Amino acid sequence: MPTAGTPVRQLDPHAVHELTEAAQHLLSSSSTGHGSDRPRLMSRAPDLAASLSVDIQHVCRPADTPAGLFVLRGIPVDDTAIGPTPGHWSSAGSAGELYDAVLLLLATVMGTPIAWEGQQDGRFVHNIVPSPGHEEEQTGASSTVLLSPHTEDAFHPGRAHLLILGCMRNHDAVATTAASVREVDLSTTDVALLSEPVLPILPDDAYAEAQSYAGTPQPVPTLWHSPTGLTLRYDPAYTPLDRASEEHRAAYARLTGELIRVSTAVSLEPGDVLVVDNDLVVHGRVPFKARYDGTDRWLKRASVRVPHRRTRPAAEQDEHGYGQAAVEAFA
């Protein structure tokens, strides 16, 4: 699994200063709530994001290689000042709130941040930390198992177009894995098979309420051709492959093999911001041993919809989304 070749966009010191000052101004405009869930903070974000320089707007442009991702680098993170890694997202409080505001501004430059009513109390920036008792789950709170490559929130038609992962701490160089469907080599027969809506994608363990939804799971395509090229919706850990024909399972296995072949490992450093096109790239994480001593890996996560983007099948508009609602920040 190669580690080199991930596109990096370096923020110069002037851009970092401008972005940090804007984030501090955003936080100072509200004095209640935690980080990204302050109502007034959310209302101020669009104007502040629009006022950022052309240089910042440029580094936030869409991914422009088949890899479908890039790393923004240069934002400083003080390992002492941010405090210990929280033991659970719910105990994070305002820890790292300046970075919350930075991610929110970057997300607003790129599109419209979204939150989920059923996840992390509806916050627009999530804390991704290993948590005791969740080590073997297929969620961001796990550690000892491979987090299987997947499309973020693949079960839902309102899933993000972009996933933003900001690194607060990563002493052990735990790698995020990523693989783009634009780099796989599949036969036209396999693409055609996987373009048929044969199997549903079920809600993952982060959505307990959605898992108890009474409606019938709806089958969705794994692959399809969008105006910009091949696109995917993929989460094998929550796809009941045993319900498919042998032919379909074999095509799915070949796609999985290709995604493994083209996968890259990105070991984020503190201050790095990984931006992933969620319509092209599946992401995961290698296993690691959590210490739960305040020094474990700590990421911030934001999800973004890109207005007027036309990369998904029209049939998604008829999906029930297992009763979950995605909330747009500025609706």
Side-chain angles (χ1 to χ4, degrees):
M1 187 182 294
T3 59
T6 302
V8 175
R9 299 178 184 178
Q10 185 73 39
L11 286 161
D12 64 42
H14 176 77
V16 170
H17 178 73
E18 179 189 6
L19 188 57
T20 303
E21 278 208 332
Q24 290 171 334
H25 184 64
L26 192 59
L27 288 174
S28 67
S29 69
S30 175
S31 59
T32 59
H34 292 306
S36 65
D37 64 348
R38 299 179 182 179
R40 192 174 176 193
L41 180 148
M42 297 305 300
S43 68
R44 292 292 307 280
D47 287 342
L48 275 172
S51 72
L52 294 172
S53 66
V54 172
D55 289 344
I56 294 177
Q57 305 283 339
H58 182 65
V59 297
C60 289
R61 69 192 184 277
D64 48 15
T65 72
L69 53 77
F70 61 88
V71 171
L72 286 177
R73 179 161 291 165
I75 300 170
V77 173
D78 186 322
D79 190 68
T80 301
I82 62 175
T85 300
H88 189 266
W89 69 263
S90 62
S91 63
S94 60
E97 65 177 357
L98 179 63
Y99 212 62
D100 288 351
V102 167
L103 280 195
L104 183 61
L105 286 170
L106 291 173
T108 305
V109 171
M110 296 178 198
T112 303
I114 63 171
W116 296 92
E117 291 181 347
Q119 193 177 30
Q120 296 209 10
D121 288 343
R123 298 185 184 188
F124 288 91
V125 178
H126 293 171
N127 287 282
I128 307 301
V129 295
S131 299
H134 299 270
E135 289 86 353
E136 297 185 359
E137 293 180 353
Q138 283 295 307
T139 69
S142 68
S143 52
T144 60
V145 296
L146 174 73
L147 182 59
S148 300
H150 61 283
T151 301
E152 186 74 0
D153 299 318
F155 75 95
H156 202 281
R159 64 196 178 279
H161 293 110
L162 302 175
L163 177 68
I164 302 177
L165 297 174
C167 181
M168 301 290 289
R169 177 175 288 130
N170 193 14
H171 291 173
D172 303 306
V174 178
T176 299
T177 63
S180 172
V181 71
R182 300 282 170 88
E183 297 184 323
V184 304
D185 184 11
L186 290 174
S187 70
T188 55
T189 300
D190 282 346
V191 172
L193 279 168
L194 296 174
S195 297
E196 293 295 323
V198 172
L199 296 170
I201 299 176
L202 306 176
D204 65 54
D205 290 339
Y207 295 90
E209 184 179 340
Q211 289 182 331
S212 62
Y213 183 73
T216 302
Q218 296 166 288
V220 298
T222 301
L223 300 176
W224 62 91
H225 288 283
S226 73
T228 58
L230 195 61
T231 310
L232 89 168
R233 184 178 181 180
Y234 175 89
D235 195 348
Y238 295 94
T239 299
L241 290 165
D242 57 333
R243 302 180 193 175
S245 67
E246 182 177 348
E247 186 181 35
H248 188 94
R249 292 198 304 272
Y252 199 99
R254 285 189 286 271
L255 170 62
T256 297
E258 278 295 293
L259 290 170
I260 292 171
R261 182 182 68 82
V262 303
S263 184
T264 185
V266 185
S267 293
L268 296 174
E269 301 173 3
D272 283 354
V273 178
L274 176 63
V275 181
V276 174
D277 188 320
N278 199 41
D279 284 335
L280 307 186
V281 178
V282 295
H283 70 284
R285 190 216 61 244
V286 301
F288 67 101
K289 177 65 174 176
R291 292 179 292 272
Y292 306 125
D293 62 355
T295 66
D296 285 322
R297 177 180 184 259
W298 179 9
L299 303 184
K300 299 277 188 176
R301 179 179 66 199
S303 298
V304 182
R305 282 185 186 157
V306 179
H308 312 302
R309 195 177 198 194
R310 298 289 181 263
T311 51
R312 296 175 181 171
E316 289 195 7
Q317 298 175 20
D318 298 325
E319 293 180 28
H320 52 57
Y322 300 87
Q324 293 299 292
V327 181
E328 291 196 353
F330 316 122

